[in-house]
Amino acid sequence: MIGWLIDKSAKYRALVLFAALALAVAGIVAMRHVKLDAIPDLSDPQVIVFTEWMGRSPTLVEDQVTYPLVTSLLGAPHVVDVRGQTMFGMSFVYVVFEEGTDIYWARSRVLEYLNTVRSRLPADATTRLGPDATGIGWVYQYALVDRTGRHDLGQLRTFQDFSLRYALTSVPGVAEVASVGGYEQQYQVTVDPLRLHNFDLTISHVVQAVRRSNNDVGARVLEMSEREYFVRGRGYFTRAEDIESIVIRADRGTPVRVSDVAHVSMGGDIRRGAADFDGKGETVSGIVVMRYGENALDVIGRVEKKLEELKPTLPQGVEIVPVYNRKHLIERAIETLKNSLTEEMIVVALAILLFLLHVRSALLPIISLPLAVVTAFIPMYFLGVPATIMSLGGIAIAIGATVDAEIVMVEAAHKKLEHAPPNLSQAERERLLAEAAREVTPAIFFSLLIIAVSFLPVFGLTGQAGRLFKPLAYTKTFVMLSAALLSVTVAPALRDYLIRGKIFSEAKHPVSRVIRRVYEPFVHVALRKPKTTVLIGVMALISALPIAARLGSEFMPPLDEGDLLYMPTTFPNISIEQARQQLRRQDEILRSFPEVVSVLGKIGRAETPTDPAPLSMVETVVRLKPHKEWRTKYVRRWYVGRTPAFMRPLLERLQPEFVPMSREDLVQEMNARLSLPGWTNAFTQPIRNRVDMLTTGIRTPIGIKVYGSDLAEIERVGSAIERVVHALPGTRSVLFERAAGGLYVDVVPDRESLARYGLQVADINEVIESALGGLPVTTTVEGRNRFSVNVRYAQDFRSSLDAVREAVIALPSSGLSAQGGGMGAGAGAVGPTAPAQIPLREVADVRVASGPPMIRDEAGLLVGYVYVDIAADRDVGSYVDEAKAAVARARSAGTLSIPAGYYIKWTGQYELLADMEARMKVLIPIALLITMVLLYLQFKNFTEVLIVLLSVPFALVGSVWALWLLDYNLSTAVWVGVIALVGLAAQTGVVMIVYIDHAYERRLRQGHINTLQDIIEAHAEGTIQRVRPKLMTVSTMLLGLVPLLWAEGSGADVMKRIAAPMVGGLVTSAFLTLEIIPVIYTYWRGEQLLWRKLAQATAPILTWLQLPVTALKVSAGVLIASLVSQLYVSGPIEWLRVLPLVASLGVLVAFTTYVFVRHRAKLVLLTVPAPPGKELTA
Amino acid sequence: MAVVRWVILALVTLLAGYTVWTHWGPSDHRHAEHEEAKYYCPMHPQIRSPEPGECPICHMKLEPIPAERRSGASPRASASAPSSSSSAPADVTSVTVSEDQQRGVGLLTAVVASGTAGHSMRVPAVISAPETGLAEVRVRAPGFVEQVAVRQTGVHVSSGQALAFIYSPDVYRAQEEYLAATRWTSAPTAASASTDIAAAARRALELLGLSSADIDSITATGKPIRAVAVRAPRAGYVTRFNAVLGSRAEPESVLYEIADLSQIWVIASVHEHDVDQLRVGTRAQFTSASTGAPLIGQVELIEPVLDEATRTTRVRVVLPNRDGRLRPGQFGEVEFDLPAAPGLFVPMDAVIRTGESEYVYVATESDRFEPRRVQVGAVRAGLIHVLSGVVEGERVVTRGNFMLDSESRLQASLAAAPAPTSGTQKAPTGEGRTKGTP
């Protein structure tokens, strides 16, 4: 069928070329419109339900907000997990949906369920859905800088909140603009409790008075003189004076105004975050959060344009300074990848030119290469795969292999034409070319398919790794498929046009000659001394095994984002004032580095549901200058003081003494300077950090969740489990995350005393809430601005425990009706009628207590996590079984008691790993099976298939060496590279065997195969004569990857980790396949020859030879089957465990028997008259 | 070429031997010895490892533990610290903070001083007219108000000033009797007994409330006064008046009320719990809207009973009021200077309260700080009374406390781990230092 397609494409070449042109145009259009971002969005489809109930302690918010929310959302459809997290005054509920759920569908489900629960929440708690974005959508951040010093922070924040924010939110693609830093302005009514006491008022009188004094009303219309007039009652207050003049009570015409008992001013609301710019003091900053699935580059472009438009409207002296802009990263990353792609194409093209030394022919692969790449963008566009480092990387690692088909075809055509007479007719030429194409193209088409198929397991990745690498797998597969398609359509269509003119025969070709001269003796020696060759291979394998076992591992390969994120942490309960000072100090130090462009410090959280940072966490964005402008550092070179002076300039050019600082150097220096007591430093990068911050649950291999209703009890159980699990062998670390550390001031009412005074708890609570906490009483409406009005005690009356104890509570008998402190001296004569109020301490105990700074809630219960990390060589599944058994034992032994209503759940990454394992168990065999089927279709011989697959372990040797030398850890990126390598290695094997087979079979047909020497010669011809196409395919693959290895800049690191195992593997597989495959192949053919001869001689010993082979096949089959079945069949079936042992014993016995019998057979053969020729010496 | 092969074989064999040796051979004793943990997770300081890597909880890169943190947490350093285990609170440890770092956190210390720092108590108060300065004006015999001299409240009257004139038949009769009596005595026939009668009549007039000046003028004129003046018994302000022209005045009704405000009383309402701290003579400062600078007086009287309605005891402070700016009924507040208790004091900010214990950081050297549990007493003007835990002359940290405490907790949690490779059995601190990973 493929042959048919090739022929037809050659025939209707105009049509095919026109279609190719159309495809190219479509591809270019798709490339222009495809989404751009730095890395794929790694977040689960999740909806954040964010509730603000300002000023309430975590435990209170948990009980009244998070718990009802979590329990009601549990029932929503397609929900995987509902996780609640409660902080001071805030509740975050993360509703995680099944992968692939449409986010807007999910959001409307959550809204539905919210409707039912809303009535159960406190009236003044505001619940809303988070934006349709995640922290990864933080693409742009700016600071408002006022260089004139004429605007205070409150004014800047007001401008940010009410002008800038709305303007930017209206930009398409922006989900939300989060404000951080400064303070929200509010009217603060600071009440003097002593004066209140004197007027016999309580704070609730003030609250009521203020609340009732701020409203606008409408009263339809009045009709006067044929016109209608809208009636409005104007009662919003707009100034502090308006509030001051509010009357609380009038007594015989004497008003008691707010100003009599309180002071009204404009001030800052309580803050959970602050921002600092360059260590120069506090600032106001805004974070632009991008919507899910948007084109980041476009969104940033629009935001920048909008900011430019807004410039004239800024308050005088205020500037908008960008402090983080992902555009640069995206551009740099895309640029890096683009450069690499271009370099790759050029290198590949040059390699082809060099090997063919024929420009016209070289054009064929050179044309189809970009065509294949461009075509890959069409499915990308339609499937919505954004162009990121990953997806472009997929193209980059595929490039080397795309042109293999064309190369092999062109080479075959050259070979055919070499021997053709010079005065060839057009028809004759075309016939020859078609013949060449038919000979090799199907094989190479199959190998392209194999490369594509072998990547199948990558599609089985789940979770973040899946989200990260699936785009890469997609694009790589797209490129491979389009390359395969082009190789059987466009390439045949073009070949008659391009393969023309004078063609170097391989014998005359300079490059081929050099290669042959080097390679020929190697092959001869290898074939004659096969044992040493095999030994080299075995030794290489052995050398790689221990390295492979010791490679480190990492979750995600580093990505140089160009900017730094300084993220120190301290203990909970830091006060905002202290936090601010520390932040400023840190920023000052950071700013003093000459490599730093700007520093924007953020402590605590930004006003967005996508940021759950506590006040104890700093996230400072440090923008760095381009690497070229960094300081240099001195490196003492070996030549200093050892070489004569005249050599120095040359040496310095080669190995400069001053090299630019590396990122690590800079970070190290910063780290040293920033060693501040009480902080643990961490340097990361903005996107990386947002990925880390994503709420993805437990990330250790194993987590034990302890569910229950009381935190103290959970802690007890968690610690007990910690001890039990700790004792297990294979435990690397175990840690119960303790929830304490928060500080509380508890006001505990004494119910006895309350009863005596006739007070209810609500009376106390009212005072605690309003007097100490301050209640947002109402909101003013001033044009576009909205400010809340807050009533609370003056600072002095709530700044210490003693002051809190003094807060007064009005006794129920007193009230407005009691006429306090008479106006005349007559009353004074009998003393003042002091209002009946008592201090808080009379009826409540005020004390400091420790408690959780943050509370987790899952499935409607409080939960504590025990994190368990296990040793790398420990199998997760059996470990979990053992740990479960240990916990059960401890429970029955009584060392671990879990109260009724409490339960534990085993979870963690191992669930994901198990899931992934299950997928891989299906996908890898399928990939392997398809590969084998494809190979079998090609070779029609199972042994040859196995020999081809032999190249895979040798390729892996190279990748392990490469990783070891480059000091790369094992990460998913590396695995992806390894998986990609398997396909490539198989391909090199295919190419090798195809040519050897060609040579062998030709000779066999001619009857030239009679001795081992004949075989060796045939194989030497197959390998040496056709070294050019093999080297061409390998070197284009290899050279196509090398630019990735030397690439510098953003995104290069990830690609390097994918490319390194591929490059290493290709080098060794090239060397080892060129050497070892012929040798193994020769062994096999040698045996075949022996058998044939024995058959000719009708020696009965042949049966004895065939017998152990059959036994070998059977026992090997059983061995493999039993080993494989152990992966799939669980349960301790005893005989299944013994089977591999028995089978491998069988293999050993069969093999030794064979070797022994074979020895005898050769002796037998010597006695019968053999055909003339050399002796069998193998 | 065969040579090349042998070389290659030798090289590969060597490599294989090397990797097997380095990676498998010595790895046994590598596991055996417990290497010192050199890396930790900045988010979860309990996670430590002798090799760089990633945190199993948050996947952040493990950062090297700063040398000073490691040494600070080592048992050698804590053993050298002169702290007994009983006085050291849990979860914290002595820390070394270089002077440069101290500047970074704005660390300040203060000396533990013995002293008698005063303490004050602020309570609401109201001015009232002194009970001692009150006077009522009444008639002693029923009569009719003929003329009103002082006809409004609030005016100042001097002592003896005539307030109103009252015709009273009883008084009139008494005058006539008196005049008759004097006439008899002045007559030559008068006997000594008649002098007695005149004196008795005069006394009767006096008892009816006539001033001796009025009596003298009656004597001089020889005619009774129709409407007798009612005079102010003392200087002061008229606070009530009831003398309506022509109305009938009875002894039962008060015509005028006069309050002497040259001194006023400040009545402070003191809650039950606080009243025992006050003594007669305790210095008191009164502030009100009109006073400006606080007026200083002292407690004159503490009422023996508690006002049931207000649950307070009234405490009286007497203040002079020469210029009359203090007005009864006026509100204000009184700050009592409470008796100073001798003892050790540290600034209030020095004490860290965790709910479980209270402790301070004592500077044992210029760069070393030791947490010390203390027992605290009352707070006096920003100073807190320390009952035990520190001795006089020691320096305690007053600013930068939070950072110091965090550092201390950090080092304590770093030191708390047993073997670094075998995880953390008990990691008491660092709790709650979590990222958003629910």
Side-chain angles (χ1 to χ4, degrees), chain A residues 850-1082:
Chain A
S850 61
M854 193 191 85
I855 300 167
R856 290 180 209 285
D857 182 327
E858 270 176 48
L861 283 173
L862 297 180
V863 65
Y865 289 173
V866 184
Y867 296 100
V868 187
D869 191 21
I870 60 167
D873 50 353
R874 193 76 163 82
D875 169 52
V876 184
S878 70
Y879 181 88
V880 172
D881 290 341
E882 255 177 58
K884 278 181 181 168
V887 169
R889 268 200 309 282
R891 283 186 75 169
S892 56
T895 47
L896 169 68
S897 68
I898 299 176
Y902 287 65
Y903 65 98
I904 59 176
K905 189 177 157 195
W906 297 77
T907 175
Q909 284 301 92
Y910 91 93
E911 283 178 334
L912 208 69
L913 288 176
D915 180 44
M916 203 138 97
E917 212 169 275
R919 282 168 187 242
M920 290 300 165
K921 269 183 186 170
V922 180
L923 282 174
I924 291 179
I926 284 179
L928 206 66
L929 214 65
I930 296 177
T931 309
M932 294 215 329
V933 167
L934 287 174
L935 286 173
Y936 189 78
L937 282 179
Q938 173 61 30
F939 293 114
K940 314 273 192 299
N941 186 320
F942 197 67
T943 315
E944 280 182 285
V945 171
L946 287 183
I947 294 174
V948 167
L949 289 182
L950 200 65
S951 59
V952 173
F954 289 123
L956 293 183
V957 168
S959 18
V960 171
W961 281 351
L963 292 176
W964 183 49
L965 286 175
L966 292 169
D967 204 14
Y968 286 169
N969 287 328
L970 278 180
S971 59
T972 318
V974 169
W975 279 116
V976 167
V978 169
I979 290 172
L981 171 68
V982 171
L984 298 186
Q987 198 210 26
T988 35
V990 169
V991 175
M992 188 69 176
I993 300 275
V994 163
Y995 286 123
I996 294 179
D997 262 356
H998 268 296
Y1000 177 79
E1001 266 156 26
R1002 205 178 61 240
R1003 289 196 177 208
L1004 193 68
R1005 273 198 302 274
Q1006 293 164 351
H1008 286 327
I1009 304 289
N1010 287 318
T1011 59
L1012 189 66
Q1013 188 58 33
D1014 291 343
I1015 298 172
I1016 290 173
E1017 270 166 21
H1019 287 182
E1021 186 199 305
T1023 45
I1024 299 161
Q1025 297 286 315
R1026 313 312 308 273
V1027 69
R1028 186 171 74 163
K1030 277 175 297 208
L1031 268 184
M1032 267 174 88
T1033 52
V1034 171
S1035 57
T1036 48
M1037 284 194 275
L1038 197 62
L1039 292 173
L1041 290 169
V1042 168
L1044 287 178
L1045 275 189
W1046 78 51
E1048 279 291 330
S1050 300
D1053 287 318
V1054 186
M1055 294 329 301
K1056 279 183 194 174
R1057 272 156 184 81
I1058 301 179
M1062 296 176 73
V1063 170
L1066 279 173
V1067 169
T1068 48
S1069 83
F1071 178 76
L1072 292 168
T1073 33
L1074 287 180
E1075 289 275 290
I1076 290 169
I1077 286 191
V1079 169
I1080 304 275
Y1081 201 74
T1082 310

Side-chain angles (χ1 to χ4, degrees), chain A residues 47-53 64-73 107-130:
Chain A
V47 180
I48 307 170
V49 180
F50 175 70
T51 309
E52 201 167 13
W53 197 24
Q64 300 208 11
V65 178
T66 315
Y67 175 68
L69 278 178
V70 169
T71 44
S72 70
L73 286 168
R107 287 169 71 84
S108 51
R109 292 295 82 69
V110 171
L111 270 184
E112 269 172 25
Y113 280 77
L114 270 188
N115 275 341
T116 60
V117 74
R118 216 158 238 164
S119 58
R120 283 192 278 151
L121 301 180
D124 48 347
T126 51
T127 299
R128 62 187 169 108
L129 285 195

Side-chain angles (χ1 to χ4, degrees), chain B residues 79-436:
Chain B
S80 69
S83 63
S84 64
S85 58
S86 64
S87 72
D91 305 349
V92 286
T93 178
S94 296
V95 282
T96 307
V97 175
S98 74
E99 282 176 19
D100 193 41
Q101 289 181 324
Q102 289 180 28
R103 273 193 295 281
V105 294
L107 198 121
L108 288 181
T109 56
V111 177
V112 179
S114 74
T116 52
H119 163 42
S120 64
M121 177 167 76
R122 275 161 76 185
V123 293
V126 64
I127 297 176
S128 73
E131 287 161 10
T132 51
L134 288 182
E136 275 183 359
V137 180
R138 292 172 190 254
V139 288
R140 296 192 179 174
F144 301 91
V145 180
E146 295 260 291
Q147 194 188 339
V148 182
V150 174
R151 51 186 87 204
Q152 53 193 336
T153 57
V155 297
H156 189 263
V157 292
S158 46
S159 182
Q161 185 182 340
L163 301 174
F165 296 90
I166 289 168
Y167 159 70
S168 166
D170 292 348
V171 175
Y172 198 80
R173 200 174 309 123
Q175 287 183 48
E176 283 178 334
E177 279 169 13
Y178 168 67
L179 285 174
T182 41
R183 270 197 297 274
W184 288 342
T185 38
S186 59
T189 55
S192 63
S194 63
T195 339
D196 291 344
I197 292 169
R202 187 183 175 96
R203 191 149 60 247
L205 277 181
E206 275 171 8
L207 287 174
L208 279 171
L210 266 70
S211 64
S212 46
D214 285 342
I215 297 171
D216 290 344
S217 76
I218 294 169
T219 318
T221 55
K223 277 201 266 178
I225 304 168
R226 177 185 157 90
V228 178
V230 178
R231 293 179 191 278
R234 65 187 306 163
Y237 294 88
V238 175
T239 55
R240 240 164 95 182
F241 97 106
N242 203 17
V244 181
L245 188 66
S247 69
R248 180 176 164 82
E250 303 267 2
E252 291 80 27
S253 62
V254 178
L255 280 185
Y256 287 91
E257 225 174 58
I258 293 167
D260 178 8
L261 295 181
S262 60
Q263 264 194 339
I264 48 96
W265 286 3
V266 172
I267 305 292
S269 305
V270 182
H271 284 283
E272 330 172 29
H273 282 256
D274 300 324
V275 82
D276 289 342
Q277 298 183 46
L278 296 177
R279 301 275 174 278
V280 171
T282 301
R283 209 175 98 103
Q285 294 182 51
F286 174 76
T287 333
S288 80
S290 64
T291 51
L295 301 171
I296 294 160
Q298 55 182 23
V299 175
E300 299 276 320
L301 183 96
I302 300 166
E303 284 194 5
V305 292
L306 187 77
D307 184 334
E308 264 180 53
T310 63
R311 315 300 311 171
T312 54
T313 300
R314 292 194 298 193
V315 173
R316 184 189 303 162
V317 175
V318 179
L319 288 176
N321 184 29
R322 281 182 201 91
D323 50 4
R325 279 171 60 193
L326 298 176
R327 297 177 174 88
Q330 209 173 23
F331 293 137
E333 53 187 70
V334 168
E335 201 174 328
F336 293 107
D337 291 342
L338 294 181
L344 292 179
F345 288 89
V346 296
M348 222 168 83
D349 288 344
V351 179
I352 297 163
R353 297 162 199 258
T354 62
E356 284 146 17
S357 61
E358 277 140 358
Y359 55 95
V360 296
Y361 278 91
V362 178
T364 51
E365 282 159 47
S366 67
D367 62 348
R368 196 156 175 84
F369 302 90
E370 181 201 322
R372 195 97 54 81
R373 204 190 274 269
V374 290
Q375 265 194 304
V376 294
V379 179
R380 311 263 141 106
L383 293 175
I384 191 160
H385 189 182
V386 182
L387 303 174
S388 72
V390 288
V391 295
E392 195 176 348
E394 279 185 309
R395 301 191 73 84
V396 291
V397 177
T398 56
R399 265 190 64 195
N401 242 332
F402 182 86
M403 293 338 292
L404 197 66
D405 192 41
S406 297
E407 177 69 23
S408 166
R409 279 169 187 275
L410 203 60
Q411 293 194 5
S413 75
L414 287 179
T421 44
S422 57
T424 52
Q425 169 82 18
K426 181 98 177 88
T429 52
E431 57 265 38
R433 301 165 57 88
T434 50
K435 300 199 295 182

Side-chain angles (χ1 to χ4, degrees), chain A residues 207-223:
Chain A
V207 168
Q208 257 177 29
V210 174
R211 192 170 281 155
R212 289 179 55 84
S213 307
N214 178 40
N215 203 10
D216 259 17
V217 290
R220 305 201 185 185
V221 289
L222 284 187
E223 282 168 48

Side-chain angles (χ1 to χ4, degrees), chain A residues 83 197 525 533 543 550 555 567 570 675 678-680 700 722-723 726 737 740 832 834 841-842 856 865 1075, chain B residues 5 19 30 42-43 54 56 69 101 124 126 128 273-274 310 331 403 407 422 425 431 433-434 436-438:
Chain A
R83 309 189 186 109
H197 183 260
V525 174
T533 315
S543 74
R550 298 283 298 182
F555 168 69
M567 195 169 128
T570 184
S675 68
W679 293 95
T680 47
T700 40
E722 192 182 74
R723 275 192 295 281
H726 180 70
E737 191 188 50
R841 69 193 144 115
E842 298 282 324
R856 290 180 209 285
Y865 289 173
E1075 289 275 290
Chain B
R5 298 195 57 76
T19 56
R30 184 192 279 213
M43 287 285 156
E54 283 182 6
R69 273 190 189 146
Q101 289 181 324
V126 64
S128 73
H273 282 256
D274 300 324
T310 63
F331 293 137
M403 293 338 292
E407 177 69 23
S422 57
Q425 169 82 18
E431 57 265 38
R433 301 165 57 88
T434 50
T437 51

